[in-house]
């Protein structure tokens, strides 16, 4: 995948940027170029999220940052805005670049997956839309080299890349990183999980020692903390906005026990035909299950597609586009493929197959409840899954409230899963549904067909 964007500047921004006067609150209080304030206003963002409020100002001051912040917190803008401000500052200083020389990017963002890279790239386009001639490139694996090589010949402002493909270009001498003044590692813990540690070390070595480094990770425990100590300035600022123990207050969690796989499918069918589902992201444990389940749901008439790492990049892009444009109502995905999906209309995350790691549960449910909306995360589990449910509850230090659907109650007794978290099954004591469920009660007779008028998946997605 490669994208390169020449973004037109509005004539009103032709002169380098007077930063805003001295307002006292909101984004206006942050000393950003007028072009960036305009883009924020266009996006309708007036108030910085917590991570933005805490990270942007020290980043603008050139500090290295170690940020733990959960997915959906607005972390992308917290590094993209200072990165773009840096690009604008260099322009304002009058430094010019000659054409035809290999310069490499000023800002380098590393992400674990193609999807996240594309997401960051889109955010950079959004926030940089009024920055004259901004050059953003996205370099990820699984796509031909040709266009990527062409883009790297000219001057580049921001390069967003996955480590593997980036290294290929650096080692072949086609890309130099001598001009990198800001290095961002997004979802660093995930990159290490995926085995990129040596690649990250190598890439960091290729950038100037004087660079500013910003590292984002769900956790800084263990290896990722040691890598942070290697890459960040000792005076780096630590910003811990959230952690895996977050209560995910925009996300309501529920656990349904299923007697067997047939029962689990019946629960899923019920959930997908309820009125409250705007768009649903259904997780499976394997690529094969994702394809199988998407086929089954398509046969039932759902507008559905599967998304996993075994699919060609072009198809993955089309599927994501289908989700954003609402052609798709249901996406069946595996963990890696769903990483970085940012579609605010995903109202439900349904765990049909459990993740391999407790931490992935947190990433999965973070795909809903985004951009200030409420989300519902439903986990369907069989007795064999009890161990993983226990580990998830220990990891998040919360019990997932158990729920039942009238007519689809399990016949077997629920396995014991408490141990790491409170055993009352709730967030504040009492029975799980003492609280008013935000998505309507999970009980009620099954409505075959339900409120959702199924429509066939379009040919692009039909399996
Ligand atoms: P992120 O955590 O960076 O993936 O962002 C999560 C979502 O919040 C994205 O849809 C952003 O476009 C949105 N967002 C980011 N900053 C703000 C803000 N200050 N106000 C409202 N929404 C925001």
């Amino acid at each position: 995948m490669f994208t390169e964007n020449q973004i037109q500047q509005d004539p009103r921004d032709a002169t380098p940027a007077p930063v805003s006067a001295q307002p006292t609150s909101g984004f206006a209080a942050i000393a950003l170029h007028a072009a960036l304030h305009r883009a924020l206003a266009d996006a309708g963002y007036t108030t910085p999220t917590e991570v933005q409020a805490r990270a942007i100002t020290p980043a603008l001051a050139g500090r290295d940052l170690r940020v733990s912040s959960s997915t959906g917190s607005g972390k992308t803008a917290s590094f993209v805005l200072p990165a773009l401000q840096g690009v604008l500052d260099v322009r304002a200083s009058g430094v010019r670049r000659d054409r035809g020389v290999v310069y490499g990017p000023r800002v380098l963002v590393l992400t674990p997956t193609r999807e996240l890279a594309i997401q960051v790239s889109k955010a950079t386009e959004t926030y940089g839309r009024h920055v004259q001639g901004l050059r953003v490139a996205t370099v990820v694996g699984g796509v031909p080299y040709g266009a990527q090589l062409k883009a790297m010949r000219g001057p580049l402002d921001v390069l967003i890349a996955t480590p593997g493909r980036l290294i290929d270009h650096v080692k072949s001498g086609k890309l130099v990183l001598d001009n990198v003044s800001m290095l961002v590692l997004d979802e660093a813990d995930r990159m290490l999980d995926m085995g990129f540690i040596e690649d990250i070390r190598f890439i960091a070595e290729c950038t100037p020692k004087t660079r500013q480094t910003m590292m984002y990770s769900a956790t800084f425990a263990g290896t990722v903390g040691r890598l942070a100590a290697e890459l960040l300035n000792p005076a780096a600022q630590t910003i811990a906005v959230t952690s895996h123990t977050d209560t995910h207050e925009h996300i309501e969690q529920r656990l349904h026990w299923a007697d067997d796989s047939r029962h689990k499918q019946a629960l899923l069918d019920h959930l997908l035909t309820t009125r409250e589902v705007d768009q649903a992201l259904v997780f499976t444990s394997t690529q094969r299950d994702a394809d199988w389940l998407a086929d089954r749901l398509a046969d039932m008439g759902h507008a559905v597609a599967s998304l996993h790492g075994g699919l060609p990049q072009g198809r993955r892009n089309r599927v994501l586009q289908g989700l954003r444009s609402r052609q798709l109502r249901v996406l069946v995905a595996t963990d890696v493929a769903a990483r970085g999906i940012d579609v605010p209309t995903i109202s439900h995350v349904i765990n049909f197959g459990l993740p391999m790691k407790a931490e992935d549960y947190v990433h999965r449910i973070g795909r809903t409840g985004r951009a200030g909306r409420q989300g519902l995360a439903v986990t369907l589990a069989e007795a064999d899954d009890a161990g993983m449910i226990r580990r998830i509850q220990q990891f998040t230090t919360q019990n997932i409230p158990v729920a039942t659907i009238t007519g689809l109650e399990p016949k077997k007794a629920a396995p014991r899963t408490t141990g790491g978290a409170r055993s009352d099954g709730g967030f504040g004591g009492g029975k799980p549904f003492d609280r008013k469920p935000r998505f309507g009660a999970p009980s009620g007779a099954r409505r075959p067909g339900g409120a959702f008028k199924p429509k066939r998946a379009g040919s692009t997605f039909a399996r």
Side-chain angles (χ1 to χ4, degrees), residues 254-261 263-264 267 351-354 378-389 392 400 410 414-415 417:
R254 286 183 200 161
L255 172 63
H256 288 277
W257 287 108
D259 293 329
D260 50 31
S261 132
H263 184 199
K264 203 160 79 166
L267 289 166
N351 292 311
F352 185 81
L354 261 65
V378 182
T379 298
L380 307 177
E382 295 178 53
D384 285 356
D385 297 319
M388 179 46 81
I389 297 289
I392 290 169
I400 312 172
T417 53

Side-chain angles (χ1 to χ4, degrees), residues 154-439:
L156 205 54
D157 295 307
V158 183
L159 179 62
I160 300 142
T162 49
R165 178 59 67 94
L166 185 77
I167 274 203
D168 290 350
H169 289 304
V170 173
K171 286 192 170 161
S172 69
K174 298 287 193 267
L175 175 68
V176 290
L177 299 176
D178 298 355
N179 276 313
V180 171
S181 54
M182 180 189 278
L183 172 66
V184 180
L185 306 179
D186 195 10
E187 303 201 356
D189 51 333
R190 188 69 176 181
M191 286 198 272
L192 298 200
D193 283 351
M194 294 170 77
F196 285 134
I197 188 158
E198 289 310 324
D199 290 354
I200 293 172
R201 282 199 176 110
F202 178 86
I203 291 166
E205 277 292 307
C206 296
T207 64
K209 293 250 175 308
T210 51
R211 66 168 196 265
Q212 178 181 12
T213 310
M214 296 168 69
M215 200 160 159
Y216 289 74
S217 183
T219 168
F220 281 92
T223 318
V224 67
R226 287 193 288 280
L227 184 68
E230 277 173 44
L231 300 183
L232 300 178
N233 185 300
Q237 188 166 328
T238 298
I239 297 176
V241 171
T242 51
S243 73
H244 63 269
T245 56
D246 267 358
T247 52
H248 294 284
E249 56 184 40
H250 293 300
I251 305 167
E252 183 174 337
Q253 300 174 66
R254 286 183 200 161
L255 172 63
H256 288 277
W257 287 108
D259 293 329
D260 50 31
S261 132
R262 189 182 286 265
H263 184 199
K264 203 160 79 166
Q265 289 174 44
L267 289 166
L268 177 69
D269 295 347
H270 174 88
L271 290 164
L272 290 180
T273 50
T274 53
R275 196 190 304 272
E276 292 87 359
V277 175
D278 195 349
Q279 283 180 304
L281 181 54
V282 180
F283 280 96
T284 58
S285 307
T286 65
Q287 297 183 356
R288 192 146 33 124
D289 284 355
D291 286 336
W292 166 81
L293 188 59
D295 277 347
R296 186 180 158 274
L297 294 174
D299 287 344
M300 292 173 66
H302 289 288
V304 59
S306 64
L307 184 78
H308 57 71
L311 298 173
Q313 185 61 31
R315 184 183 167 94
R316 285 163 70 167
N317 293 342
R318 283 198 303 281
V319 166
L320 283 175
Q321 193 45 45
L323 191 69
R324 280 194 201 97
S325 65
R326 288 172 168 266
Q327 260 181 288
L328 291 173
R329 183 167 171 271
V330 182
L331 184 66
V332 186
T334 56
D335 286 290
V336 169
R339 191 88 181 179
I341 290 181
D342 177 17
V343 179
T345 43
I346 295 175
S347 56
H348 287 57
V349 164
I350 301 174
N351 292 311
F352 185 81
L354 261 65
M356 305 295 271
K357 288 193 295 179
E359 184 194 327
D360 286 335
Y361 173 84
V362 177
H363 289 299
R364 285 181 175 195
I365 70 171
R367 301 298 112 205
T368 185
R370 293 174 80 79
R373 298 180 191 221
Q374 299 296 333
L376 178 62
V378 182
T379 298
L380 307 177
E382 295 178 53
D384 285 356
D385 297 319
M388 179 46 81
I389 297 289
R390 199 176 305 122
R391 286 197 289 285
I392 290 169
Q393 296 189 148
Q394 280 165 356
F395 184 74
T396 60
T397 67
Q398 295 163 18
N399 285 335
I400 312 172
V402 176
T404 55
I405 292 169
T406 306
L408 287 173
E409 295 91 346
K411 294 193 177 54
K412 294 182 188 165
R416 221 182 102 74
T417 53
T418 51
R422 288 198 309 271
S423 57
D424 58 22
F427 293 98
K431 290 191 207 105
F433 287 98
D434 282 356
R435 293 180 309 140
K436 188 174 177 294
R438 283 191 284 257
F439 282 83

Side-chain angles (χ1 to χ4, degrees), residues 27 40 43-52 69-79 81 116 119-120 123 126-127 186-187 340-344 366-367 369-372:
F27 275 116
L40 285 166
Y45 301 161
T46 50
T47 313
T49 64
E50 188 184 351
V51 67
Q52 293 163 1
S69 162
S70 66
T71 174
S73 60
K75 66 182 164 71
T76 315
S78 77
F79 60 80
L81 289 167
L116 187 58
Q119 205 67 58
V120 171
T126 301
Y127 302 124
D186 195 10
E187 303 201 356
I341 290 181
D342 177 17
V343 179
R367 301 298 112 205
R370 293 174 80 79

